Structures are given as structure tokens and as C-alpha cells.
Amino acid sequence: MESVVRPDTQRAYNLICEKIITLELPPGHPIHEQQLAETLEMALSPVQEALKMLADDHLVRVTARHGFYVADVNVPDLDQLSELRLALEGLAANLAAQRATPDEIIVLQALREEQTTADPAETRRLFEIDHKFHQAIAKSAGNRYLAQTLDHFFGLSLRLWYLVMPHLDFLPGSVGKHLDIVDAIARHDSAAAEQLMREHVAEFYKNVRAFLLTR
């Protein structure tokens, strides 16, 4: 039976998660619980509970001597995350090609069009469209458990976007891959959709990995 998260704890989780993902709380940064609670204008208890939840999500680390700190981004963790996303995003694209309704294909095509008209310099906007694009494919796959799992792992990848965006210019180039993925889904070519999606996700992690190894 799933435990029920209190609203104040969930709010604290969302606020702290946003700070970690956007690097306001950078990797390795120590977290002072009382100070954070005061910053969020919240009681200490929900903040502590939220930090435990974030530790379960591997965004926060806990040590006996030093307490909470923001988890670092390292290559072994990146490799494990990429393995999961490669498999799950590929599966979602495969199922979407089999199951997407005409309306769902229209949504994907609209997102594709939005990407092609976006200014390549607007990396934040391109990133947000990319997130919507992956969510739309997951929805088209017709498996809510897969969609929930994918959104969780996509969330863990968000911090990587913010970490590498100032240093790499591969995001605008990924738009072309999205065009091919939508075309494969629209013509119900599940094998092509899966392969293209795996290539798209693999390219992202390859660039992030290269950046982490040279920092």
C-alpha cells in the first residue's frame, strides 16, 4: 500500500527539487535544513521529509557526519540512467507507433512545428518543448505506468540539461531527430520509431558524458 504524502511535504519536495534541477542548489552543495526551511518559509518537518524523499530519488545524499547535501553528477550514475531511458523511451516510441490516435499524432506534429519555428538561441524554450514532446509520445504509447516511469526518469535528467546547456550546442540539432521520430510514428513504423528514439536519447547522454569527463 502506497504511503500518503502530506500536502506541505509535497510542496517542499517540489520547491527543493526545482532548486536542485535548475542548479540553484548545485551538485555537492551542503543543505542546511533550518536555513532551507526559512528560505522556503515552511516548517522544518516537511522540509526534512522532503529531503528524505529526494534522497530516495538520488538527488540528495545523506551522510552520518555531514547530513544532507545535493548529490553530485557522476559518470556511473549517468550510465545507469541512460540505460534505463534508452530502453524505456525506445519502448514508448515503439508503442506510440502502434497505438497513437489521429489526435495524438496531430499533437506530436504541432510540437514538431513549434520546435522548427523556435529560435535556436532560446535553449530554455527548446528544452521545454522537448519535455512536452517526450510526454506526448509516452501518452500515445497507451500505458500509464510507462508514462509515469518515463516522467520520473526524465525528471532526473533535467538537471543534466541545465548543467550542460551553457557549454554545448547539440539541443537545436536534436530537433531534426524529432522530425524523423514523428514521421515514423505517423506512418506506424514501430521499429523505425524505436530505433530513432534510442539514437536520439543516446546522443544526448553521449554529449553529457563527454562533458562530465572533461570538467
Side-chain angles (χ1 to χ4, degrees):
M1 183 176 179
E2 294 184 1
S3 59
V4 177
V5 179
R6 296 186 312 180
D8 55 349
T9 298
Q10 186 62 55
R11 178 171 176 270
Y13 175 94
N14 293 340
L15 291 172
I16 300 169
C17 187
E18 177 74 10
K19 290 180 180 293
I20 292 173
I21 285 170
T22 60
L23 307 182
E24 184 177 339
L25 292 174
H29 186 78
I31 298 174
H32 304 289
E33 302 160 58
Q34 185 62 53
Q35 183 180 351
L36 181 58
E38 291 172 2
T39 299
L40 298 177
E41 299 181 343
M42 299 187 70
L44 181 60
S45 178
V47 169
Q48 291 175 324
E49 290 302 313
L51 289 171
K52 292 175 184 176
M53 291 168 60
L54 287 161
D56 290 338
D57 286 342
H58 308 291
L59 289 172
V60 165
R61 302 291 187 196
V62 189
T63 65
R65 293 184 60 186
H66 303 293
F68 294 103
Y69 64 96
V70 179
D72 203 356
V73 177
N74 56 65
V75 171
D77 284 349
L78 176 76
D79 289 344
Q80 291 184 40
L81 183 57
S82 67
E83 283 179 350
L84 281 171
R85 281 204 64 212
L86 271 171
L88 294 175
E89 293 279 6
L91 174 61
N94 184 305
L95 293 176
Q98 298 179 51
R99 301 172 178 174
T101 65
D103 285 346
E104 287 170 338
I105 291 173
I106 289 172
V107 169
L108 288 171
Q109 290 170 335
L111 288 169
R112 177 180 69 177
E113 184 62 26
E114 187 177 355
Q115 284 181 315
T116 58
T117 58
D119 184 342
E122 292 184 286
T123 51
R124 179 66 181 266
R125 183 185 172 201
L126 286 170
F127 157 72
E128 290 171 349
I129 299 170
D130 184 82
H131 190 191
K132 291 178 183 178
F133 180 80
H134 284 271
Q135 286 179 316
I137 289 180
K139 182 177 182 296
S140 300
N143 185 316
R144 64 187 178 93
Y145 299 106
L146 175 60
Q148 290 169 357
T149 304
L150 274 173
D151 210 46
H152 172 71
F153 285 114
F154 194 96
L156 295 179
S157 299
L158 295 184
R159 188 164 59 141
L160 301 175
W161 285 107
Y162 283 92
L163 191 65
V164 303
M165 266 199 307
H167 308 281
L168 300 175
D169 61 357
F170 63 90
L171 184 57
S174 71
V175 173
K177 186 67 72 175
H178 283 189
L179 298 174
D180 295 336
I181 292 169
V182 174
D183 287 342
I185 290 173
R187 67 175 186 268
H188 306 294
D189 188 339
S190 56
E194 178 172 357
Q195 181 61 32
L196 289 165
M197 178 61 82
R198 289 178 67 91
E199 290 172 1
H200 172 55
V201 175
E203 180 71 11
F204 167 69
Y205 283 106
K206 183 184 78 171
N207 283 287
V208 174
R209 196 177 199 279
F211 169 74
L212 292 179
L213 289 172
T214 55
R215 300 198 275 177

